[in-house]
Amino acid sequence: MKLVVAIIKPFKLDEVRQALTAIGVHGMTVTEVKGYGRQKGHTEMYRGAEYIVNFLPKLRLEIAVDSDLAEKTVEVISSSARTGQIGDGKIFVTPIDRALRIRTGETDSDAL
């Protein structure tokens, strides 16, 4: 089992979710986050004053999948979240040692 963590632009969420559903990924956790990388923020105007936004709004997706579906999940997120502009995001994949569904007691792949 793998945990795929993706940081994406907020307006790409629906497109990514639909693409993941199409390959059989049925659940994810989405968190609103702020951060920066190479993009390093941007300048905005508010009531005639210019100010610098250092932390940009992003979404963090956490998706637990079987190991055999992890690579396809990464490919689908990458292709559907890509705009070609700086700040498209990052994807991280880490192993999951154990999973447990609290309601039923199912473990590992059955719990996903």
Side-chain angles (χ1 to χ4, degrees):
M1 297 176 301
K2 302 285 186 182
L3 180 64
V4 179
V5 178
I7 309 297
I8 65 168
K9 291 183 175 183
F11 68 90
K12 286 298 211 169
L13 178 60
D14 285 336
E15 191 175 335
V16 170
R17 187 184 55 79
Q18 289 172 359
L20 288 171
T21 301
I23 65 163
V25 174
H26 300 292
M28 73 173 72
T29 300
V30 179
T31 310
E32 292 180 1
V33 296
K34 292 184 179 202
Y36 72 93
R38 291 184 182 161
Q39 197 172 8
K40 295 187 177 69
H42 63 278
T43 304
E44 288 189 4
M45 294 290 286
Y46 179 71
R47 294 188 178 184
E50 189 175 285
Y51 67 99
I52 297 171
V53 178
N54 290 321
F55 292 96
L56 300 170
K58 303 287 182 179
L59 294 179
R60 175 186 170 116
L61 312 180
E62 295 173 282
I63 307 148
V65 295
D66 279 323
S67 295
D68 58 342
L69 191 56
E71 194 57 41
K72 184 67 175 169
T73 301
V74 169
E75 290 171 12
V76 165
I77 294 170
S78 178
S79 63
S80 58
R82 181 178 295 123
T83 66
Q85 302 296 315
I86 193 166
D88 275 350
K90 299 260 190 319
I91 301 173
F92 307 97
V93 181
T94 58
I96 297 175
D97 293 331
R98 185 169 181 225
L100 173 91
R101 180 170 298 175
I102 295 171
R103 179 177 57 88
T104 62
E106 294 169 301
T107 60
D108 299 331
S109 293
D110 293 334
L112 301 180

